[in-house]
Amino acid sequence: MHELSLAHDMTRIIGNVLGRKVPLDRVNVTIGPLSGISPESLKFCFTEIAKMEGFGEPELVINLTEAKLICLECGTEYQARDFYQGCPECGSISRKILSGREFTVDSVEIDEGEN
Amino acid sequence: MCDDASEKIVNIATPVMNKNDRFAAENRKLLGEKGIYTLNLISSPGAGKTTVLESMARFFGQRMAVIEGDVQTRRDAERIEKAGCQAWQIETGGACHLDAHAVKHALDHMDLSSEELELLAIENVGNLICPSGYDLGEDMRIGLLSVPEGDDKILKYPSLFSTINVLLINKMDLIPHLDFDVDITIKECRSLSPDVEVFTVSARTGEGMEEFCEFVESSFS
């Protein structure tokens, strides 16, 4: 349920950058697969919060990245879409996370009718 | 007017956790300047966070202060005060996690001036998912798992257990009655957090608590 807080944070960030509240067509975000964020839940929460906060009914477009991991057994660097994918070389699940927790508002597209 | 299609796209390029992380950095700086080492204790509801903290309060006494995070009531803060420590209750009023801003607000109200004070324990809202993404400014993140919850929880909640420094397995006094495999739990936790320190305790009977408290103490002294 923290997606509700995150949706609020997203509208705050968008409002700060735009300096005003305008209806939006699209909001583009990047989410890492290890961020603990449910994309479906975020879409649901963001739709409601965006409307409440005066940003219309934008489509939330999620760019889901791959995580980068390094195997602590054999040193192979590999990519994964979740926590459960082991090393493709040796199968070990002992690894260090290099990236995959990111969550960024990348850009917004303003509803043309409003400008 | 915006006739050019490119003008309707506005670059934002902002990590959503920026604001939280800024407050977390402020908390870390403030607490560091005062020589206070900070713990963030995370578990599901009922795993025994407050009982662990009561036991720690008896070990550390006035050297420790506690911030209690709950959706509602001052019950936990009252328990900690009875055990002998300063406690500040954050009632989130529905929110499923603490954030660094709520902790900063608590710090503004607490008396951190005592020379004796060297440890702050923050008890997060009981939840294995939402607190994991919020840095509060802690030095040590502790994941607490109680044996009645089952030994399958580590891999079910990887976003938390991949971020902890210490795994505290609690309610070990109940282990004779349960099929909880401690070795598998530790192995799976190490697959997510290779350097995790593990302690098995029963906060209720006190088993293992002294060793754990001494470990915490050695982290800042």
Side-chain angles (χ1 to χ4, degrees), chain B residues 7-218:
Chain B
E7 283 182 35
K8 82 176 214 164
I9 301 177
V10 179
N11 195 33
I12 307 280
T14 306
V16 176
M17 299 306 285
N18 255 11
K19 188 177 171 193
N20 183 76
D21 292 347
R22 222 168 33 240
F23 280 116
E26 274 181 36
N27 293 346
R28 197 168 272 120
K29 183 164 179 282
L30 171 81
L31 291 161
E33 282 168 0
K34 292 187 180 296
I36 299 171
Y37 191 82
T38 303
L39 316 176
N40 180 2
L41 195 54
I42 304 175
S43 80
S44 58
K49 289 183 298 300
T50 313
T51 310
V52 163
L53 289 174
E54 283 174 316
S55 180
M56 291 178 72
R58 289 190 285 274
F59 183 93
F60 287 104
Q62 296 292 318
R63 292 191 291 153
M64 181 170 94
V66 175
I67 293 175
E68 282 288 344
D70 277 293
V71 172
Q72 225 133 46
T73 79
R74 276 202 90 252
R75 283 184 174 175
D76 282 359
E78 286 163 9
R79 282 174 62 184
I80 297 301
E81 282 162 359
K82 259 188 210 155
C85 283
Q86 178 190 178
W88 182 267
Q89 182 78 49
I90 299 173
E91 286 179 75
T92 65
C96 46
H97 58 272
L98 292 180
D99 60 37
H101 182 253
V103 170
K104 183 188 183 299
H105 186 74
L107 294 175
D108 288 343
H109 286 84
M110 294 175 79
D111 179 12
L112 305 175
S113 62
S114 163
E115 286 288 319
E116 237 185 317
L117 188 61
E118 50 189 0
L119 180 64
L120 172 70
I122 304 169
E123 179 181 334
N124 221 308
V125 179
N127 185 324
L128 289 177
I129 305 169
C130 309
S132 61
Y134 290 84
D135 180 9
L136 304 180
E138 71 265 24
D139 299 298
M140 180 190 286
R141 182 176 284 201
I142 302 170
L144 179 64
L145 179 68
S146 67
V147 293
E149 293 171 72
D151 55 19
D152 59 346
K153 292 299 173 291
I154 300 284
L155 291 186
K156 280 189 177 178
Y157 298 96
S159 63
L160 170 64
F161 291 107
S162 65
T163 64
I164 59 172
N165 308 110
V166 174
L167 173 67
L168 200 55
I169 303 177
N170 190 28
K171 305 192 187 179
M172 285 297 286
D173 51 318
L174 297 178
I175 208 109
H177 310 288
L178 301 163
D179 298 321
F180 186 97
D181 190 325
V182 173
D183 292 337
I184 283 182
T185 303
I186 294 172
K187 188 174 165 227
E188 291 189 344
C189 197
R190 292 231 158 97
S191 81
L192 296 170
S193 287
D195 302 321
V196 73
E197 295 277 351
V198 183
F199 294 88
T200 52
V201 303
S202 166
R204 192 175 74 84
T205 66
E207 173 196 342
M209 282 304 298
E210 193 174 337
E211 192 191 349
F212 169 65
C213 289
E214 282 168 358
F215 169 76
V216 171
E217 192 175 38
S218 72

Side-chain angles (χ1 to χ4, degrees), chain A residues 84 93 101 103 105-106 108 110, chain B residues 8 10 12-13 16 155 162:
Chain A
Y84 308 113
I93 55 164
R101 300 189 196 277
F103 176 30
V105 181
D106 301 324
V108 297
I110 295 168
Chain B
K8 82 176 214 164
V10 179
I12 307 280
V16 176
L155 291 186
S162 65

